[in-house]
Amino acid sequence: MTEQPLTTTARADALDTSVPHSARLWNYLLGGKDNFAADRQAAEQVLAFLPELVQSARFNREFLGRAVRHLAGEAGVRQFLDVGTGLPTANNTHEVAQATAPDSRIVYVDNDPMVLVHARALLTSSPEGATDYIEADLRDPELILTEARRTLDFDQPIAVMLLGVVNFVVDDEEAIRVVRRLVDAVPAGSYLVLSHPTREVNPEAVDRALAMWNEGGAAQMAVRTPAAIARYFDGLELLEPGLVTCSQWRPDGNDTTPTSEYCAVGRKRG
């Protein structure tokens, strides 16, 4: 394995440990140790009435693995743009993709300084492939696309990965605009892989969790209906089984208990 140079510098002064952050909260739910008291407290408050959140985090991670394995394998995709990366855990996008296709190239994007601190773990690549990390916000797709071109070839198919991140763009039309800009930038044969929280499972608990999160000083979040999530895939060919709860996207024998996180994979037609 080889490690590429880290191309950005951690901004320690930007790390506010007193306010919960979604990347660190998700890390806690997945059993990680890269989180702070505020993150753990926020997670436990939500878990008190939404215990499925741990399961949802796991199902979302398993969906990522299944989707990336399919794209790097059967679909032949060799490039991945993973926006809203989160803190490195097991089975990161580059690990899954390069286990199937060692020449895969992956660009990670996140705006949490804590993720930046740990970005070297995301920059470990197979000798045949490449990885890079961009410090940027989903709301700035032009910066993401400009920086991603250092590593990715935009004349060849790219899988745009947006797992659990579009929900932090609370304005519906802005969210659609941002997703569409990223999809418009990649060529035919590319894919959109997206997951997003909904109210379809346990809506009262989801509403309470959302209100608690949005009142806690962290980045505001939205939940959306399946119909609203489907708009992100307008013009794309949805892979079977379409837009479903994360646990039920090609489960391969895994637990299919419904979860409030929905997902889909769409292909950009030629």
Side-chain angles (χ1 to χ4, degrees):
M1 303 290 284
T2 60
E3 183 176 287
Q4 299 210 351
L6 186 60
T7 55
T8 50
T9 303
R11 298 177 294 108
D13 60 342
L15 183 60
D16 186 352
T17 63
S18 67
V19 177
H21 191 283
S22 59
R24 302 193 299 265
L25 184 145
W26 217 241
N27 174 265
Y28 175 70
L29 294 175
L30 289 170
K33 300 185 182 304
D34 295 313
N35 46 74
F36 298 103
D39 309 304
R40 296 188 289 273
Q41 181 179 5
E44 291 298 335
Q45 287 175 339
V46 173
L47 287 171
F49 53 83
L50 190 62
E52 74 156 76
L53 194 59
V54 171
Q55 191 177 53
S56 182
R58 177 169 60 84
F59 285 162
N60 192 58
R61 195 70 181 179
E62 290 174 354
F63 162 65
L64 180 150
R66 295 194 300 271
V68 171
R69 276 191 293 274
H70 169 76
L71 295 179
E74 184 178 337
V77 175
R78 295 294 179 267
Q79 302 187 105
F80 297 82
L81 178 58
D82 187 340
V83 185
T85 302
L87 285 156
T89 58
N91 299 320
N92 299 296
T93 297
H94 74 283
E95 294 170 326
V96 177
Q98 292 180 348
T100 300
D103 58 336
S104 295
R105 306 176 72 82
I106 295 89
V107 171
Y108 290 108
V109 183
D110 209 293
N111 69 338
D112 178 18
M114 187 76 170
V115 179
L116 179 60
V117 168
H118 291 270
R120 288 193 183 276
L122 295 172
L123 293 175
T124 301
S125 173
S126 65
E128 303 93 331
T131 58
D132 197 6
Y133 179 85
I134 300 169
E135 185 184 18
D137 192 290
L138 173 62
R139 298 172 186 81
D140 192 355
E142 300 306 328
L143 174 61
I144 291 171
L145 293 170
T146 297
E147 294 297 307
R149 292 180 191 278
R150 299 181 312 187
T151 303
L152 305 181
D153 179 358
F154 277 70
D155 291 325
Q156 298 297 321
I158 297 170
V160 178
M161 314 280 297
L162 299 173
L163 276 71
V165 64
V166 179
N167 41 294
F168 290 101
V169 184
V170 296
D171 181 83
D172 291 342
E173 294 308 314
E174 182 184 10
I176 290 171
R177 178 186 63 79
V178 167
V179 174
R180 191 158 296 158
R181 178 67 186 99
L182 293 174
V183 173
D184 285 348
V186 297
S190 294
Y191 290 81
L192 172 64
V193 182
L194 185 145
S195 67
H196 195 295
T198 76
R199 298 179 69 255
E200 297 305 295
V201 179
N202 205 354
E204 292 183 4
V206 169
D207 287 346
R208 288 180 64 191
L210 180 66
M212 180 176 293
W213 178 264
N214 286 342
E215 292 168 2
Q220 298 292 287
M221 186 172 72
V223 299
R224 294 184 169 97
T225 65
I229 298 168
R231 293 183 63 192
Y232 301 127
F233 293 91
D234 283 352
L236 303 181
E237 176 188 358
L238 281 183
L239 274 59
E240 293 292 336
L243 180 64
V244 294
T245 180
C246 278
S247 58
Q248 296 175 0
W249 196 91
R250 305 189 179 190
D252 295 335
N254 292 317
D255 187 351
T256 58
T257 303
T259 178
S260 55
E261 196 89 6
Y262 270 49
C263 69
V265 178
R267 183 179 184 274
K268 188 172 181 178
R269 299 184 179 93

